[in-house]
């Protein structure tokens, strides 16, 4: 009937409108990440050219500690395998939201940015300061040092993998309080914004 046909048209229109709104919302969330980015999370060494890091697009590669799951982040691997050697910088301004030990992430710090993006730095050897939740962080500030902590229920577990920094990026949506976003392409952009540090 004509009425059913009209209802189908309106239903389809509403569906397209809802999808467009959702797409616009996701676009804005990604825009917020770009707005926050200031510097690469590992500085260039002012005194040792060989102190570099490498990374690949390992988004959703399988991880198997404690079960099978996708890798929600990018691992920046240390070319010099030495705990506590590489400084880790905050790539954005923000506030410390989480800090301390996690079974998978080891010593980690989570910073909530100005634009409500959550930057997660894991497997740290140590922290640069005695940070507390609520502390204000500036982009480029040293927040810790790269390590190999994690993959253990016992606080301080080390040596289960090579020294590296796991960087995770999460945004919030109406449906999901933590939606993981691939950091790889943001890191590629930040290659142009490396700070120098004496280490």
């Amino acid at each position: 009937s004509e009425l059913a046909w009209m209802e189908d048209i309106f239903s389809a229109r509403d569906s397209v409108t809802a999808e467009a709104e959702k797409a616009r919302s996701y676009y804005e969330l990604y825009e917020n990440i770009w707005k926050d980015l200031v510097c690469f999370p590992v500085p260039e060494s002012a005194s040792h050219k060989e102190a570099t890091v490498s990374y690949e697009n390992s988004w959703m590669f399988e991880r198997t500690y404690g079960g099978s799951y996708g890798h929600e982040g990018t691992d920046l691997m240390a070319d010099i395998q030495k705990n506590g050697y590489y400084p880790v910088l905050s790539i954005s301004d923000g506030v410390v939201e989480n800090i301390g030990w996690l079974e998978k992430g080891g010593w980690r710090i989570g910073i909530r940015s100005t634009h409500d993006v959550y930057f997660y730095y894991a497997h740290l050897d140590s922290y640069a300061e005695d940070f507390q939740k609520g502390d204000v962080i500036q982009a480029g500030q040293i927040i810790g040092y790269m390590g190999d902590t994690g993959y253990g229920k016992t606080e301080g577990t080390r040596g289960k993998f090579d020294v590296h920094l796991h960087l995770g990026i999460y945004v919030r949506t109406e449906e999901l309080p933590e939606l993981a976003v691939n950091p790889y392409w943001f890191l590629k952009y930040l290659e142009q914004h490396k700070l120098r540090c004496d280490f």
Side-chain angles (χ1 to χ4, degrees), residues 151-190:
Y151 279 24
K153 295 182 187 299
T154 304
E155 191 170 307
T157 299
R158 299 174 180 271
K160 302 289 187 180
F161 38 71
D162 288 341
V163 173
H164 71 283
L165 169 68
H166 171 95
L167 175 69
I169 300 178
Y170 297 85
V171 294
R172 291 195 269 217
T173 70
E174 290 183 4
E175 299 87 11
L176 296 168
E178 283 190 352
L179 175 64
V181 175
N182 187 355
Y184 178 79
W185 302 109
F186 299 108
L187 286 168
K188 295 300 282 185
Y189 163 76
L190 286 173

Side-chain angles (χ1 to χ4, degrees), residues 1-17:
S1 73
E2 185 175 347
L3 181 59
W5 178 77
M6 291 296 290
E7 286 176 349
D8 287 346
I9 291 291
F10 285 122
S11 177
R13 182 200 63 186
D14 292 344
S15 177
V16 169
T17 302

Side-chain angles (χ1 to χ4, degrees), residues 4-172:
W5 178 77
M6 291 296 290
E7 286 176 349
D8 287 346
I9 291 291
F10 285 122
S11 177
R13 182 200 63 186
D14 292 344
S15 177
V16 169
T17 302
E19 288 302 313
E21 286 297 324
K22 189 173 183 180
R24 187 177 298 113
S25 171
Y26 278 87
Y27 174 80
E28 289 171 358
L29 290 171
Y30 270 79
E31 279 295 298
N32 285 342
I33 299 171
W34 288 113
K35 289 175 187 175
D36 282 320
L37 302 179
V38 175
C39 63
F40 197 76
V42 181
E44 286 185 354
S45 172
S47 49
H48 297 94
K49 289 184 178 179
E50 69 277 11
T52 57
V53 296
S54 58
Y55 59 98
E56 63 179 15
N57 189 1
S58 60
W59 182 247
M60 288 297 145
F61 281 20
E62 185 182 23
R63 295 293 186 266
T64 56
Y65 177 80
S68 180
Y69 51 92
H71 186 229
E72 292 184 351
T74 299
D75 291 334
L76 294 95
M77 308 304 296
D79 290 333
I80 295 177
Q81 283 293 303
K82 184 177 177 183
N83 273 308
Y85 181 70
Y86 290 83
V88 174
L89 310 179
S90 177
I91 65 180
S92 70
D93 293 335
V95 174
V96 175
E97 186 168 299
N98 288 301
I99 191 163
W101 182 261
L102 282 181
E103 182 180 344
K104 287 181 183 174
W107 298 116
R108 62 72 161 96
I109 185 168
I111 296 171
R112 179 71 62 181
S113 75
T114 307
H115 296 95
D116 198 33
V117 178
Y118 185 74
F119 293 100
Y120 170 75
Y121 307 82
H123 307 309
L124 299 177
D125 177 69
S126 60
Y127 300 107
E129 301 175 30
D130 182 23
F131 294 115
Q132 304 295 318
K133 290 182 180 181
D135 284 354
V136 175
I137 302 292
Q138 301 297 318
Q141 181 176 346
I142 299 176
I143 53 177
Y145 296 89
M146 200 182 297
D148 64 352
T149 61
Y151 279 24
K153 295 182 187 299
T154 304
E155 191 170 307
T157 299
R158 299 174 180 271
K160 302 289 187 180
F161 38 71
D162 288 341
V163 173
H164 71 283
L165 169 68
H166 171 95
L167 175 69
I169 300 178
Y170 297 85
V171 294
R172 291 195 269 217

